[in-house]
Amino acid sequence: QVQIVESGGGLVQPGGSLRLSCTASGFNLDYYAIGWFRQAPGKERVAVSCISSNDQSDGTASYADSVKGRFTIVRDDAMGTVYLQMNSLNPEDTGVYHCATGWAYACRDQAYDFWGRGTQVTVSS
């Protein structure tokens, strides 16, 4: 059974940083495209970032325009972990951040069959 778990969320002041982690059981994240999504109350779920597999694809990363230059998605294949480094945070970044994956190697093909329950990020002064 595939289980996705996120961690690293919390309360931070504007301009601060957080590093979110995504791990999985029953699934090897190294082989598949991994996405991060943000869900805020009353708003659409937004695709924040995605990274393709290094082993089966080109390992490239993509970002929503709103986070380019501030967020970085990184793989640690040895640890089977994907991180989202979030810098220069602002209140609009607030929400529950979900990690998701599926059977596709590249982000463009990913159907996101498996989702974590999310970790709360709150940016407030």
Side-chain angles (χ1 to χ4, degrees), residues 41-62:
K43 297 182 179 180
E44 279 191 334
R45 183 161 56 203
V46 174
V48 174
S49 183
C50 185
I51 187 165
S52 296
S53 171
N54 290 322
D55 184 54
Q56 302 293 338
S57 189
D58 58 11
T60 58
S62 60

Side-chain angles (χ1 to χ4, degrees), residues 30-75:
D30 297 347
Y31 297 159
Y32 306 101
I34 313 297
W36 283 98
F37 298 80
R38 182 181 69 238
Q39 179 69 66
K43 297 182 179 180
E44 279 191 334
R45 183 161 56 203
V46 174
V48 174
S49 183
C50 185
I51 187 165
S52 296
S53 171
N54 290 322
D55 184 54
Q56 302 293 338
S57 189
D58 58 11
T60 58
S62 60
Y63 302 91
D65 288 342
S66 62
V67 307
K68 285 181 179 177
R70 300 188 297 119
F71 290 11
T72 305
I73 188 168
V74 180
R75 287 182 177 273

